Amino acid sequence: MAMRRVAFHGRHLLSSPHLFRRHMSTEPMAALDRIRNSGLLKTQGLVGGKWIDSYDGKKIEVQNPATGDVIASVPCMGTKETTDAISSAYSTYSSWSKLTAAERSKALRNWYDLIIKHKDELALLITLEQGKPIKEALGEVSYGASFIEFFSEEAKRIYGDIIPAPLSDRRLLVLKQPVGVVGAITPWNFPLAMITRKVGPALACGCTVVVKPSEYTPLTALAAADLALQAGIPPGALNIVMGNAPEIGDALLKSTQVRKITFTGSTAVGKKLMEGSASTVKKVSLELGGNAPCIVFDDADIDVAVKGSLAAKFRNSGQTCVCANRILVQEGIYEEFAKAFVKAVQGMQVGNGLVEGTSQGPLINEAAVQKVETFVNDATSKGANVILGGRRHSLGKTFYEPTVVSNVNRDMLLFKDEVFGPVAPLVPFKTEEDAISMANDTNAGLAAYVFTKSIPRSWRVSEALEYGLVGVNEGIISTEVAPFGGVKQSGLGREGSKYGMDEYLEVKYVCMGNLKET
Ligand code: NAP
């Protein structure tokens, strides 16, 4: 096979598969072989049910963040491919939306079954391109699949209403109808679940979709789309384009055929998409950044609080939107909590996610590590103390030590912004009022956590927190059956649960008049 170098985003690609092999260490290579043998290593975009390259032949490389190896190359698509994907979704909409709910439900259920059947290969793919430990990747596959299962069931429950009419010869009906073609843009931190949480309800409602996964993690999206085709979801109902994000985003925004934009990612990009949706007045849902407070009161069960805050902080190397970003600890137990928390963090094993026992993988890229370093330096320069970690890990590349920083305050970046890395800032507080005021002192409003044994306090504080999700004595709270979403600048709309269906439905009122018998 001829070897070809393509430069994109400053990275060079050697496109011979033999070269990928030579560069790769044994475990990733074995994992990739397994995925390839299952037929799930898809490296082209999906438009109208056809696997295609970019029209100009440009490619982007996908790297394993744990090793820096190139795993595969995928097409670098832009305006033209996206326009074709929209046309394909638009023409398929007329048939997919007219199927019965039972038919759509069955196709989604088949998709769920296939995802579960291939859970090991999908998890390996997630670990290879995203870096999270294989155990977490398996957890993501179950979580991601659960949205397809749940929404396959919800497809059959899109009920309307009959409203008692004010005039006797009228009947007032409310129908719920699919919104139309959906543009879905997703991030790299949950390469499967952030897609299924959008595509599941969209397809269940009768919408068709153009998905743009992150350039860092397109392979999981492509594998999942292949399983969707195998499951009987018709060609054109689910299209995948990736590459030049602003071009793809603009094509989706400008199209009058796209009636909805759903996005998960940074607040900055979310704002751009919201602004760009105005010219065609699209429906918009946004799942944006967080700055989660995790409040540990004097009356908390320390073991429960340590376990919960550890899980809420360090999952996915601290790269989730619901990660505990600020651990606020009441003065009475501050020292005791800090000691127990540090001990628990010391037990974490950093390494390649494919290696058994690894509890923390690499960060996604060099920029992510530099952001973490900036935040830690800012805190120490303003008086905080690193009590564990605080440096790049000896493994090199994008590995960073699990870190605990004490005496963080409101003036520090660690308090104000999402660090999106394995750094746990401990912030002391005196009273319940102080804790609530600190917790709400941010433009973000996604997740918050509270640890207390007091039932009245748990109610009081949960109600006072300006957040879309609150975990009480629990650090992992996401589930397909509950609504997920933020307030303030963390987003608009909800995903998952019965509420997640509403985002893909329009409400139509039909007034039937002159019903008097003649
Ligand atoms: P990001 O930079 O905003 O990227 C998210 C997606 O938007 C990617 O597919 C990206 O493409 C694309 N994108 C970037 N610029 C674009 C543009 N101008 N037009 C259209 N699309 C564009 O965010 P990220 O770094 O991947 O993800 C981390 C952020 O997501 C964090 O802030 C995190 O809190 C948030 N997040 C929120 C939730 C939630 O449910 N609230 C869940 C997970 C993550 P490329 O990658 O190809 O450039």
Side-chain angles (χ1 to χ4, degrees), residues 128-159:
L128 277 180
E129 66 176 351
Q130 199 273 340
K132 67 180 64 172
I134 191 71
K135 207 171 148 197
E136 281 191 40
L138 278 164
E140 180 180 345
V141 178
S142 302
Y143 178 57
S146 72
F147 290 106
I148 304 300
E149 182 187 41
F150 180 84
F151 287 111
S152 75
E153 292 153 359
E154 284 301 291
K156 295 179 271 184
R157 297 182 195 121
I158 304 173
Y159 302 123

Coordinates of all heavy atoms in Angstrom, one line a residue, residues 128-159:
L128 N -8.8 3.2 23.6 CA -7.7 3.5 22.6 C -7.8 4.9 22.2 O -6.7 5.6 22.1 CB -7.9 2.6 21.4 CG -7.3 1.2 21.4 CD1 -7.5 0.5 20.1 CD2 -5.8 1.2 21.8
E129 N -9.0 5.4 21.9 CA -8.9 6.8 21.3 C -9.2 7.9 22.4 O -8.8 9.0 22.1 CB -9.9 6.9 20.1 CG -11.4 6.8 20.5 CD -12.3 7.1 19.3 OE1 -11.9 7.5 18.2 OE2 -13.5 6.9 19.4
Q130 N -9.7 7.5 23.5 CA -10.0 8.5 24.5 C -9.1 8.4 25.7 O -8.8 9.4 26.4 CB -11.5 8.4 24.9 CG -12.0 9.7 25.6 CD -11.8 9.7 27.1 OE1 -11.6 8.6 27.7 NE2 -11.9 10.9 27.7
G131 N -8.7 7.2 26.1 CA -7.7 7.0 27.1 C -8.2 6.5 28.5 O -7.5 6.1 29.3
K132 N -9.6 6.5 28.7 CA -10.1 6.2 30.0 C -9.8 4.7 30.3 O -9.7 3.9 29.3 CB -11.6 6.5 30.1 CG -12.5 5.7 29.2 CD -14.0 6.2 29.4 CE -14.3 7.6 29.1 NZ -15.7 7.9 29.1
P133 N -9.7 4.3 31.5 CA -9.5 2.9 31.9 C -10.6 2.0 31.3 O -11.8 2.4 31.3 CB -9.5 2.9 33.4 CG -9.2 4.3 33.8 CD -9.8 5.2 32.7
I134 N -10.2 0.8 31.0 CA -11.1 -0.1 30.3 C -12.4 -0.4 31.1 O -13.5 -0.5 30.6 CB -10.4 -1.4 29.9 CG1 -11.3 -2.3 29.0 CG2 -9.9 -2.2 31.1 CD1 -11.4 -1.7 27.6
K135 N -12.2 -0.4 32.4 CA -13.4 -0.6 33.3 C -14.4 0.6 33.1 O -15.6 0.4 33.0 CB -13.0 -0.7 34.7 CG -13.9 -1.5 35.6 CD -13.3 -1.7 37.0 CE -14.4 -1.8 38.0 NZ -13.9 -1.6 39.3
E136 N -13.9 1.8 33.1 CA -14.8 2.9 32.9 C -15.3 2.9 31.4 O -16.5 3.3 31.2 CB -14.0 4.2 33.0 CG -13.8 4.6 34.5 CD -13.2 6.1 34.6 OE1 -13.7 7.0 33.9 OE2 -12.4 6.3 35.5
A137 N -14.5 2.5 30.5 CA -15.0 2.4 29.1 C -16.2 1.4 29.0 O -17.2 1.7 28.3 CB -13.9 2.0 28.2
L138 N -16.0 0.3 29.7 CA -17.2 -0.7 29.7 C -18.4 -0.1 30.3 O -19.5 -0.2 29.9 CB -16.7 -1.9 30.5 CG -15.9 -2.9 29.7 CD1 -15.2 -3.9 30.6 CD2 -16.8 -3.7 28.6
G139 N -18.1 0.7 31.4 CA -19.3 1.4 32.1 C -19.9 2.4 31.1 O -21.1 2.5 31.0
E140 N -19.1 3.1 30.3 CA -19.7 4.0 29.3 C -20.5 3.3 28.3 O -21.5 3.8 27.8 CB -18.6 4.9 28.6 CG -19.3 5.8 27.6 CD -18.4 6.7 26.9 OE1 -17.2 6.9 27.2 OE2 -18.9 7.3 25.9
V141 N -20.0 2.1 27.8 CA -20.8 1.4 26.8 C -22.2 1.0 27.4 O -23.2 1.2 26.8 CB -20.1 0.1 26.3 CG1 -20.9 -0.6 25.3 CG2 -18.7 0.5 25.7
S142 N -22.2 0.5 28.7 CA -23.5 0.2 29.3 C -24.4 1.4 29.4 O -25.6 1.4 29.1 CB -23.3 -0.4 30.7 OG -22.5 -1.5 30.6
Y143 N -23.7 2.5 29.9 CA -24.5 3.8 30.0 C -25.0 4.3 28.7 O -26.2 4.6 28.5 CB -23.5 4.8 30.7 CG -24.0 6.2 30.9 CD1 -25.2 6.4 31.7 CD2 -23.4 7.3 30.4 CE1 -25.6 7.7 31.9 CE2 -23.8 8.6 30.6 CZ -24.9 8.8 31.4 OH -25.4 10.1 31.6
G144 N -24.1 4.3 27.7 CA -24.5 4.7 26.3 C -25.6 3.9 25.8 O -26.6 4.4 25.2
A145 N -25.5 2.6 25.9 CA -26.5 1.7 25.4 C -27.8 1.9 26.1 O -28.9 1.8 25.5 CB -26.0 0.2 25.6
S146 N -27.8 2.2 27.4 CA -29.0 2.4 28.2 C -29.9 3.4 27.6 O -31.1 3.4 27.7 CB -28.7 2.7 29.6 OG -28.2 4.0 29.8
F147 N -29.3 4.5 26.9 CA -30.2 5.5 26.3 C -30.9 4.9 25.1 O -32.1 5.3 24.8 CB -29.3 6.7 25.9 CG -28.8 7.5 27.1 CD1 -27.5 7.4 27.4 CD2 -29.7 8.3 27.8 CE1 -27.0 8.1 28.5 CE2 -29.2 8.9 28.9 CZ -27.9 8.9 29.3
I148 N -30.3 4.0 24.4 CA -30.9 3.5 23.2 C -32.1 2.6 23.7 O -33.2 2.6 23.1 CB -29.9 2.7 22.3 CG1 -28.8 3.6 21.9 CG2 -30.6 2.1 21.1 CD1 -29.2 4.8 21.1
E149 N -31.8 1.8 24.7 CA -32.8 0.9 25.2 C -34.0 1.7 25.8 O -35.2 1.5 25.4 CB -32.3 0.0 26.4 CG -33.3 -0.9 26.9 CD -32.8 -1.7 28.1 OE1 -32.1 -1.1 29.0 OE2 -33.1 -2.9 28.2
F150 N -33.7 2.7 26.6 CA -34.7 3.5 27.2 C -35.6 4.2 26.2 O -36.8 4.2 26.2 CB -34.1 4.6 28.2 CG -35.1 5.4 28.9 CD1 -35.7 5.0 30.0 CD2 -35.4 6.7 28.4 CE1 -36.7 5.8 30.7 CE2 -36.4 7.5 29.0 CZ -37.0 7.0 30.2
F151 N -34.9 4.8 25.2 CA -35.7 5.6 24.2 C -36.4 4.7 23.2 O -37.4 5.1 22.6 CB -34.8 6.7 23.5 CG -34.6 7.8 24.5 CD1 -33.3 8.0 25.0 CD2 -35.6 8.6 24.9 CE1 -33.0 9.0 25.9 CE2 -35.3 9.7 25.8 CZ -34.1 9.9 26.3
S152 N -35.9 3.4 23.1 CA -36.7 2.5 22.2 C -38.0 2.3 22.9 O -39.1 2.1 22.2 CB -35.9 1.2 22.0 OG -36.0 0.4 23.2
E153 N -38.0 2.3 24.2 CA -39.3 2.1 24.9 C -40.2 3.4 24.9 O -41.4 3.3 24.7 CB -39.0 1.7 26.4 CG -38.4 0.3 26.4 CD -37.5 0.1 27.7 OE1 -37.3 1.0 28.5 OE2 -36.9 -1.0 27.8
E154 N -39.5 4.5 25.1 CA -40.2 5.8 25.1 C -40.9 6.1 23.7 O -41.8 6.8 23.7 CB -39.3 6.9 25.5 CG -39.0 7.0 27.0 CD -40.2 7.2 27.8 OE1 -40.8 8.3 27.8 OE2 -40.5 6.2 28.6
A155 N -40.3 5.6 22.7 CA -40.8 5.8 21.3 C -42.3 5.5 21.3 O -43.1 6.2 20.6 CB -40.1 4.9 20.3
K156 N -42.8 4.5 22.1 CA -44.2 4.1 22.1 C -45.0 4.9 23.0 O -46.2 4.7 23.2 CB -44.2 2.6 22.5 CG -43.6 1.7 21.5 CD -43.6 0.3 21.9 CE -42.4 -0.1 22.7 NZ -42.4 -1.5 23.0
R157 N -44.4 5.9 23.7 CA -45.2 6.7 24.7 C -45.3 8.2 24.4 O -45.3 9.0 25.2 CB -44.6 6.5 26.1 CG -44.6 5.1 26.5 CD -44.0 4.9 27.9 NE -43.8 3.4 28.1 CZ -42.6 2.9 28.3 NH1 -41.6 3.6 28.5 NH2 -42.5 1.6 28.5
I158 N -45.3 8.5 23.1 CA -45.4 9.9 22.7 C -46.8 10.3 22.6 O -47.5 10.3 21.6 CB -44.7 10.2 21.3 CG1 -43.2 9.7 21.4 CG2 -44.7 11.6 21.0 CD1 -42.4 9.7 20.1
Y159 N -47.4 10.5 23.8 CA -48.8 10.8 23.9 C -49.1 12.2 23.6 O -48.4 13.2 24.0 CB -49.3 10.5 25.3 CG -49.1 9.0 25.7 CD1 -48.3 8.8 26.9 CD2 -49.5 8.0 25.0 CE1 -48.1 7.5 27.3 CE2 -49.3 6.7 25.4 CZ -48.6 6.4 26.5 OH -48.3 5.1 26.9

